[in-house]
Structures are given as structure tokens and as C-alpha cells.
Amino acid sequence: MFNTQFADNELVDWAIGQRRHFHMYPELSGQEYETAARVKSLLEEFGIPLLDGFSAPNVIGYFKGTEGKRTIALRADMDALPIVEEGEDRPYLSTVPGVMHGCGHDGHTATLLAAAKWMSQNPELVKNNIILIFQSSEEASPSGAQQLMKEGVLDKADVIYGIHYMSNMPLGQVGFEEGYAMASSDDFDIIIEGKGGHGGNPHETIDPIYISTHLIQAFQSIVSRNLNPLKSGVISVGGIYGGDSYNVIPDKVTLKGTIRALTFEGAKTMIEKTEQLTKSICEGFGAKGHFTLIEGTPPLYNHPEACKTAEKIIRKTFGDDLFTPIEAVFGAEDFSYYLKEKTGAFVNIGMQGPKSQYPHHHPKFDLDEAAMPAGIELMIKFALEG
């Protein structure tokens, strides 16, 4: 399906073997110590030095190019999810109860390792310096990418590339959205502190349930009246908690929700307005509104210059028919922390088909390994030509 120059059958088979091992022994965010140990061992076997000064269990390798005029960073995420895996037809099911690779990170890690293996076998072809980032905690907050950026992982990099195998994109397609490609993701807790009382005497209370309905309605005005309609956002309340009786108005109500935007400015506006409306509306009813932001990830912005390079590589490598422009989505990805500070691009590789028909984070999710030759080839080409 994919015409590859460097990802031959032997290298792909090796990568698939590594991927299945990681799938069988998944580790949650921040706990990827055995995964990291295997990655370190393989990089050392390849003769690729490890960089110090970065928090465990992140692993950072450094390949020195023959010329070293340019430094390319390549990233893979390593963490799994707290999901009970379902399915009996695969010999590599998770052996860890309640934990599975339900997002393809096992494939990302194996893919970057395969690219590292190829570089170690063909050092004379690699002119650029390569930073190999095996990152912890993509699925968690605080984010592993955010932590690595604080530690200076890209201080000497000129550009960064990452890939993601996608179950909602047909196998055989490769592409991305230039510019804002994925949304920010911030969560919030709101406590409405009112005054409880008998349901038959509401005039003696400050009803937090009633007040919560005004908040939920008002939040939608932030999207419709404060954001540019061409740069959309979403505020969704996913939980309302308060009261457990037919005829008692509670003292407090808690709301839980998410704020997502496709621009940095939109995310800032939505967070500020949500907090302002919470306090002002509650005060207007004589209640107290307590807003707590749970910071997530910023919008993912694919830089045009890196996208042009990536598109050129994809078209030249796989043909014009396989390159697929993609519309922006409101999913989130902590690769955005890298792109907030450094030029780069995040590329999607399709794998949707009979072997990968379930969405990411589903108990029956599986990665179609037929997509891995494309991922390996791209990582190598990014190292050589990025």
C-alpha cells in the first residue's frame, strides 16, 4: 500500500514486534518506567546517547548528524489508558488488568524506535542532528510535553515533527490541517453556594439549582457573542451535582465542564468570560460562585513552513493521491505545547479499516499495523529532510 524507500520488511517486522510488546505491558501516565527502560536499552544498543537533565520517565536521545547544521526533533508518546481491554482474537492483549494502549501510543513509540534503529545503521546518510523524544504523560495533566518544554527539550531544535495513527481516517491516507488543527482543552469546576431550604418555601432560599440553569445558558452566549464565528469554541457542562431529595433545595450545586477553542485568543477569552459570568450571575442572585480552572492543553497550531515541508515529503514519498488535507477537530493533543514555542507539524496517518474499526479510547481499539511502514518512513524522512 505504501511505497517506502527505507522502511523495509525487516525493519517493519521489528517495529511490529516492539509495538506488540508495549501493547502487552502498558503503563499509565507518569508510570512508564518499564517502557522507558526498554527504550533506553534499545537506544544504547543502537549507540545513540541519552541526554540528562530531563524528568523521568521521559527518555531523550540525541543522534549527531554528519553536518549538524540543523537539529530536528521527533516525538513519540508512551503512556496507556485506564481501560479494560476487550477482544480475544489478538495474541498481544494487555497483560495488565484495567490498563491498555487504547490510543496507539505503543505504535508511536515503536515507530520512533524503528527510525532510530535505521539511523544507527545508516549514520552516513543523516546530516541533521536528531533529538528523539520518548514522552511520558500525553494523556494526563500536567502534561509530559509541558514539563519537557519547561526543562528545555527543544532549546537547540530548529523544528519538531510528530505523527498520530488515526482510526477515523482511512488506511492509505496521510495528512494534516495547516494552522490551527486541534482545540485547546481546559476543564473547570464550579461551586454555586446558595442557601438551602424547604421546596415548598423557595422564597426563603437562594436556590443554587435554579442559578445553575442561568449559568449554563449564559455560557453559550460566550461562544455565540464573544468569539469570532470563524474561530469557533465549545463550552460543555458534563456534570451537575446537588441535592438528593424531592422537596429540599440544597445549599450547593457543583458543575463540571470543558472549555475548548481553536485559537489561543479564543481559549483565553472563553476562560475569562466563564469565570466572570460565574461570579456575576451568582452574586446577582445573592449566591457565591467559585470557579476553578483545571488547565489542560493549548490549541495545536501546525506551522505553515513545517507543513509545506511535510506535504512535500508526503507527496514525494507516497504520491499525490495519498496526501489528505484534514479539517480541524476539537480533540486535544499535548504536542501543542511544542508547537506553541517551536516551528513544527503534527501529521495524521490513517489506519481505519477492518483491523482498526473502533475509535480511540474504546475497549476494543486496535492499531492496524499495516499503517506502520508509512509512520516509520515519515519519521526517517523528517530526520533527513525536515
Side-chain angles (χ1 to χ4, degrees):
M1 176 173 292
F2 296 103
N3 296 319
T4 56
Q5 179 182 357
F6 302 120
D8 58 25
N9 291 337
E10 183 178 354
L11 184 61
V12 171
D13 288 344
W14 180 88
I16 289 173
Q18 298 302 317
R19 180 257 161 173
R20 293 186 176 187
H21 174 89
F22 292 131
H23 194 90
M24 291 176 67
Y25 303 101
E27 295 174 291
L28 295 174
S29 301
Q31 302 175 25
E32 309 98 319
Y33 289 98
E34 291 301 319
T35 302
R38 187 177 183 88
V39 169
K40 286 181 182 178
S41 176
L42 288 169
L43 292 179
E44 290 168 352
E45 179 184 319
F46 302 155
I48 297 177
L50 303 176
L51 297 182
D52 296 325
F54 299 100
S55 55
N58 297 292
V59 180
I60 312 298
Y62 184 79
F63 186 96
K64 187 171 180 58
T66 58
E67 295 182 1
K69 296 178 181 179
R70 188 167 170 81
T71 299
I72 314 294
L74 305 174
R75 175 270 210 167
D77 34 17
M78 300 189 295
D79 51 333
L81 291 159
I83 299 174
V84 178
E85 186 168 21
E86 297 177 5
E88 300 176 353
D89 57 343
R90 300 192 296 274
Y92 48 85
L93 288 175
S94 171
T95 61
V96 182
V99 182
M100 72 168 286
H101 272 290
C103 203
H105 296 184
D106 49 346
H108 302 162
T109 300
T111 295
L112 187 54
L113 282 171
K117 180 179 173 69
W118 182 91
M119 285 184 254
S120 72
Q121 295 171 339
N122 301 274
E124 71 284 356
L125 299 181
V126 186
K127 297 179 181 180
N128 300 313
N129 298 326
I130 309 299
I131 300 173
L132 300 160
I133 302 173
F134 294 89
Q135 180 207 305
S136 166
S137 302
E138 191 279 325
E139 299 283 2
S141 183
S143 150
Q146 183 181 24
Q147 180 63 32
L148 284 174
M149 287 302 290
K150 290 178 181 178
E151 294 168 356
V153 70
L154 296 186
D155 284 356
K156 296 181 179 180
D158 294 293
V159 65
I160 182 169
Y161 295 97
I163 65 165
H164 203 301
Y165 294 113
M166 299 300 294
S167 65
N168 61 353
M169 183 176 175
L171 179 66
Q173 294 184 359
V174 181
F176 50 83
E177 168 77 352
E178 183 177 315
Y180 287 105
M182 300 183 74
S184 62
S185 176
D186 298 290
D187 296 332
F188 61 82
D189 287 317
I190 293 172
I191 297 175
I192 303 170
E193 188 177 350
K195 177 184 176 183
H198 196 287
N201 300 304
H203 60 290
E204 297 177 353
T205 74
I206 299 174
D207 187 348
I209 292 179
Y210 176 69
I211 297 170
S212 72
T213 67
H214 286 266
L215 287 185
I216 294 169
Q217 291 291 332
F219 291 162
Q220 302 314 307
S221 72
I222 299 172
V223 175
S224 65
R225 292 298 178 267
N226 294 110
L227 292 187
N228 183 331
L230 299 178
K231 299 175 181 178
S232 189
V234 170
I235 301 178
S236 294
V237 174
I240 305 177
Y241 310 91
D244 58 2
S245 174
Y246 292 105
N247 63 351
V248 176
I249 293 173
D251 290 315
K252 295 180 181 179
V253 166
T254 299
L255 304 180
K256 294 180 178 292
T258 188
I259 300 172
R260 298 181 180 230
L262 280 177
T263 66
F264 296 108
E265 297 81 6
K268 182 174 183 292
T269 296
M270 293 171 76
I271 291 169
E272 290 177 350
K273 290 292 185 180
T274 303
E275 183 172 13
Q276 289 172 5
L277 285 175
T278 296
K279 293 181 178 179
S280 62
I281 289 175
C282 288
E283 287 176 1
F285 283 99
K288 293 181 180 179
H290 306 280
F291 177 89
T292 302
L293 179 70
I294 304 165
E295 184 180 0
T297 56
L300 188 148
Y301 182 81
N302 274 331
H303 296 257
E305 54 268 50
C307 287
K308 287 180 174 60
T309 300
E311 181 177 347
K312 181 180 178 181
I313 290 173
I314 293 167
R315 290 184 182 277
K316 183 174 69 173
T317 302
F318 305 125
D320 292 336
D321 292 342
L322 268 65
F323 177 75
T324 306
I326 300 171
E327 292 185 350
V329 298
F330 273 81
E333 159 66 56
D334 82 344
F335 196 84
S336 58
Y337 278 108
Y338 301 122
L339 298 180
K340 186 178 180 182
E341 305 296 336
K342 188 69 63 171
T343 298
F346 192 62
V347 177
N348 294 310
I349 299 174
M351 61 173 185
Q352 184 184 58
K355 293 184 179 179
S356 185
Q357 55 185 303
Y358 293 97
H360 296 264
H361 296 211
H362 189 281
K364 292 185 178 180
F365 171 88
D366 194 19
L367 188 151
D368 190 340
E369 294 161 345
M372 290 182 65
I376 297 168
E377 187 76 12
L378 275 184
M379 281 299 197
I380 295 172
K381 290 290 182 66
F382 288 150
L384 299 179
E385 304 173 21

